[in-house]
Amino acid sequence: MNTPTISALRPLCLALALFTAGAVHADDFEAKLAIRDHKFDPAELTVPAGTKVKLLIENQDATPEEFESHELNREKVVVGKGTITVFVGPLEAGRYPFFGDFHQETAQGVLIVK
Amino acid sequence: MLGTGLLVFREVLEAALIVSIVCAATRGVPARGRWVGGGIAAGVVGALLVAFFADALAQAVSGIGQELFNASVLLAAVVMIAWHAIWMASHGKELATQMKAVGGAVQSGKRPLSALLIVVAIAVLREGSEVVLFLYGQAASGAGAMAIAGGIALGIVGGVAVGFLLYFGLLGIPMRYFFSATNWLMLLLAAGLASQAAGFLIQADVLPAFGNRIWDSSALLSNGSMLGKTLHTLVGYDATPAGMQLVFYAITACAIAIGMRVWGHPHSAAPKPSLASQGR
């Protein structure tokens, strides 16, 4: 019933698709992080400022963990022996703490953006 | 046991807050206990399924299955809330009048309670799947059955208790404003869920962020604080929102508000109670 609405939405969808494609093909900085014995390795990870960062997080433990950061606004479950990808940034220089939600006593780390 | 209880509490609380708002919004609907209970049960089954297939979900769609799944169920909840809120806007006035007349018992056949069942189920599913994964990890790393069971009990009792507090607090709103108040709460809830969905799509790099941190109010109220988390669940508070999250929030809030306004009037032809009869 809403033909005008749909045709009005079409350019919006197209724009969104272009943006999305652009976002995926950007030059991302890749950084690796491991979870072992419910701790992050390295516990301090340095990445460049002003660049989108692709975090590859490998859980070497057999139990699940949830990578979470209030400062980065991120949360993602990583199953035992699994690897996840989390995109962050581009960020301003600073310290951005993150933690493992399921083992907060030990699983603490900081993303240092320089 | 305390550590386990605390995590279970945090997750249960998030779901309980949403269920409380739904319960308040369905005040006076006779069968609503069954609908809400059904939603919780469906959510628990869903949580077990999601936890069981967590590995497959994580690897789906080249590693962004988890984000796409979260964003999809969040947006589904947004649509359900919008549908219900707009329906209520067009019928709420009659409902309030009738409730005053018959002392709270109103039968309403057409009301989209199935929409709210889905909202409850999704809330329980999202938080519940994290609880299941966490507990699985605890059990696998040798935590005692007693410690786990005690933690679950503590967490559920605590979370549900806070949910009840919110529910009874909401019941204190005068009947005259009650349904418009719960409707606005539902609107803010939906906008917050939409913003969370945008967050997941940014995390997966499916949507651009349009600015990673439009502002930083962490010093005033951090995302990690109890109040910050509670407001995050209820109205979508975020100390460091991305631009795209604000866009999703604004579009959802405006769309529902406009929907309530456009469809909210034709049905208000019910006889208006006089001011005298409204006073308490």
Side-chain angles (χ1 to χ4, degrees), chain A residues 89-103:
Chain A
L91 292 162
E92 288 172 29
R95 292 170 61 86
Y96 301 85
F98 54 82
F99 58 94
D101 196 26
F102 295 168
H103 301 90

Side-chain angles (χ1 to χ4, degrees), chain B residues 86-98:
Chain B
I86 292 168
W87 190 93
M88 277 302 283
S90 59
H91 296 78
K93 241 176 221 163
E94 304 158 46
L95 226 59
T97 318
Q98 286 176 45

Side-chain angles (χ1 to χ4, degrees), chain A residues 20 52 71 73 76-77 89 104, chain B residues 63 66 205-206 212-213 240:
Chain A
T20 311
K52 189 183 283 176
E71 283 73 11
N73 237 332
K76 187 164 183 176
V77 168
Q104 290 192 34
Chain B
Q66 211 181 110
D205 206 21
V206 170
N212 254 294
R213 312 168 124 221
T240 55

Side-chain angles (χ1 to χ4, degrees), chain A residues 16 19-20 23-24 28 38 52 62-64 66 68 70-79 84-91 96 101-104, chain B residues 7 10-11 54-55 63-64 66-67 130 133-134 136-138 140-141 199-200 202-208 210 212-213 223-224 229 238 240-241 245:
Chain A
L16 204 66
F19 259 119
T20 311
V24 170
D28 304 333
H38 312 309
K52 189 183 283 176
T63 54
E66 186 178 40
E68 187 164 352
H70 299 312
E71 283 73 11
L72 295 165
N73 237 332
R74 293 291 181 265
E75 59 170 317
K76 187 164 183 176
V77 168
V78 51
V79 295
I84 53 165
T85 306
V86 174
F87 287 90
V88 296
L91 292 162
Y96 301 85
D101 196 26
F102 295 168
H103 301 90
Q104 290 192 34
Chain B
L7 186 131
R10 276 193 280 121
E11 307 294 343
D55 198 14
I64 57 169
Q66 211 181 110
E67 283 92 346
E130 285 186 23
L133 283 170
F134 168 72
Y136 163 73
Q138 294 289 97
S141 42
F200 280 113
I202 297 165
Q203 172 173 307
D205 206 21
V206 170
L207 284 184
F210 286 157
N212 254 294
R213 312 168 124 221
N223 284 341
K229 274 180 198 281
D238 204 321
T240 55
Q245 287 185 277

Side-chain angles (χ1 to χ4, degrees), chain B residues 22-37 87 95 98-99 102-111 113 116 167 179:
Chain B
V22 168
C23 283
T26 52
R27 180 183 193 178
V29 176
R32 66 106 180 254
R34 244 180 294 150
W35 287 95
V36 173
W87 190 93
L95 226 59
Q98 286 176 45
M99 276 181 73
V102 296
V106 177
Q107 181 60 271
S108 174
K110 279 183 295 177
R111 184 168 170 159
L113 286 177
L116 295 184
Y167 175 69
F179 285 116

